[in-house]
Amino acid sequence: MRDLNLKATEYFEAVARLGSVTKASEELGISPSAVSQQISLLEAQLGVKLFRREKQRLILTLDGDRLFQTTTQAFGAIRNARSAVSFQRDRRNFIIRVSPSFGVRWLGPRVGAFCAENEEWNMRIDATPDFTAFETENVDVDLRYGLGTWSGVSVTPLMHDLVLPLCSPAYLEQLRQIDPDPARQLARARLIDSVKTLYRWDLWLALNHIDIPNVSYPLRFDRSSMSIEMAKQGGGIALDSVTLCLGELERGELVPFSTAFDVIDFPAYWFVCPARHLNRRIVLRFFNWMMSSCKNHDDSARAHLAGLGCRFRIGSPTELIDIKPWGL
């Protein structure tokens, strides 16, 4: 490759593709004589004739055709890549980072509507547990689960978490056949532990004055999305977020373990970015869309739980587990 005259090869490919030195020179923006000179240099380098002239037409020789088949694919790929790069450069980019379970279970099913309304923007969404270092990373917005205590950035509450024990209807029926008392049912149940949530089983059991000797968690997950899925499959009881599984509740795939226990209600989902980012049109547009979408979802979740007979209790910040900012 070091010995191959790439410029001459490019000129050859243009002549062979267009069938004319004149047309190739127009495409390349150089004189016809310069094109002819480069082809002559390439033929001399390769030691073969690449064209023969018949009645004022250039015809590829066998060697020329073999070279053309290879070079036209290569230069075509290069032209396509260049066009794609230019297209991406000319479009505007909007980069969002989001806590994994919130991204998969809440944002993912909804963000298509926002994309459809903003087709002139390229959107990239990274579902990652890592909080954004805005000063060193090219990220516009972080949608984060946590206590909202991040410093040096604008932090706006989006939505409360609504936490209660959840399980499948079939699993709940199994527990009721064992014992009619919910507290004693819990002692016999498989407790699914979401290890990165703000509200964990040990805290919940203590606040509800339920003593389970030698409590254990046979199922532990570092993502609420996995805990919720396990509960839906009848694997046990998950103490987790209605915010992330409202659809399963509405379809009856999950049910509250018992309405005798209050729903823990506390702010947990946040719109985070440097204050200066809110001056960007796309960030402000996305902020307004998120605020509206989250309010609608929160209203629906509360109405559904109230319809099931659930009561709500505001969770105190001192109760919550101060997890690291990557969270759910």
Side-chain angles (χ1 to χ4, degrees):
M1 287 297 293
R2 288 195 299 269
D3 297 331
L4 184 63
N5 188 329
L6 289 177
K7 179 184 290 187
T9 305
E10 179 186 9
Y11 291 4
F12 158 77
E13 187 274 338
V15 172
R17 174 168 44 84
L18 299 171
S20 164
V21 170
T22 301
K23 291 180 180 178
S25 69
E26 291 173 354
E27 179 180 281
L28 295 167
I30 58 175
S31 68
S33 61
V35 174
S36 298
Q37 182 182 19
Q38 287 296 323
I39 291 175
S40 296
L41 290 172
L42 184 61
E43 289 178 328
Q45 181 184 23
L46 298 175
V48 297
K49 279 291 187 182
L50 300 174
F51 295 98
R52 68 175 186 273
R53 190 175 291 277
E54 291 185 3
K55 297 180 181 180
Q56 305 301 313
R57 294 177 60 229
L58 286 176
I59 306 297
L60 284 166
T61 65
L62 183 61
D63 290 321
D65 185 64
R66 184 180 294 114
L67 181 63
F68 172 67
Q69 294 303 322
T70 301
T71 57
T72 195
Q73 292 182 32
F75 283 111
I78 292 171
R79 284 191 291 268
N80 290 339
R82 183 175 59 192
S83 296
V85 169
S86 298
F87 178 75
Q88 293 294 331
R89 180 196 62 208
D90 294 339
R91 286 175 65 89
R92 290 167 287 183
N93 296 312
F94 180 45
I95 302 175
I96 302 167
R97 183 166 285 176
V98 59
S99 294
S101 291
F102 186 66
V104 171
R105 296 194 63 88
W106 192 92
L107 183 63
R110 294 169 175 80
V111 74
F114 182 81
C115 293
E117 296 171 1
N118 297 274
E119 292 183 344
E120 71 277 19
W121 289 86
N122 288 323
M123 290 190 65
R124 172 180 164 182
I125 301 177
D126 293 334
T128 170
D130 300 321
F131 186 72
T132 301
F134 286 101
E135 298 306 317
T136 58
E137 296 184 272
N138 185 26
V139 175
D140 293 293
V141 169
D142 200 333
L143 305 178
R144 196 52 41 184
Y145 170 83
L147 295 177
T149 55
W150 306 285
S151 61
V153 288
S154 171
V155 180
T156 305
L158 284 171
M159 196 159 37
H160 280 214
D161 219 356
L162 304 172
V163 173
L164 75 162
L166 301 164
C167 61
S168 71
Y171 189 71
L172 180 58
E173 184 59 30
Q174 292 177 28
L175 293 175
R176 287 174 173 173
Q177 290 176 8
I178 295 172
D179 195 299
D181 180 74
R184 291 195 293 268
Q185 289 170 14
L186 283 171
R188 304 286 296 276
R190 290 188 300 273
L191 303 184
I192 302 170
D193 188 22
S194 295
V195 301
K196 289 186 178 179
T197 57
L198 294 171
Y199 232 95
R200 301 278 296 283
W201 273 114
D202 52 353
L203 173 62
W204 186 91
L205 291 168
L207 290 172
N208 285 281
H209 309 291
I210 298 174
D211 182 24
I212 300 179
N214 302 316
V215 62
S216 65
Y217 308 105
L219 299 168
R220 310 188 79 175
F221 299 101
D222 71 344
R223 294 287 181 270
S224 279
S225 55
M226 299 174 71
S227 297
I228 290 167
E229 187 62 32
M230 179 58 73
K232 187 172 73 172
Q233 293 175 14
I237 304 177
L239 180 66
D240 224 302
S241 170
V242 173
T243 301
L244 300 181
C245 62
L246 178 59
E248 284 85 350
L249 280 165
E250 292 175 334
R251 294 188 296 269
E253 297 168 343
L254 287 172
V255 294
F257 163 68
S258 174
T259 57
F261 304 112
D262 293 343
V263 177
I264 308 301
D265 179 355
F266 59 94
Y269 300 95
W270 310 83
F271 192 100
V272 185
C273 68
R276 64 182 182 277
H277 286 197
L278 292 169
N279 294 324
R280 300 177 185 174
R281 182 177 60 176
I282 187 62
V283 173
L284 184 58
R285 189 180 298 175
F286 184 66
F287 173 81
N288 291 332
W289 179 82
M290 282 293 300
M291 292 296 287
S292 175
S293 299
C294 287
K295 183 181 185 307
N296 291 338
H297 183 81
D298 190 65
D299 289 346
S300 296
R302 292 175 185 278
H304 185 77
L305 290 172
L308 295 176
C310 294
R311 303 184 307 269
F312 299 82
R313 184 177 74 79
I314 300 298
S316 167
T318 58
E319 295 175 358
L320 304 178
I321 299 171
D322 190 5
I323 62 171
K324 293 186 181 299
W326 38 88
L328 195 63

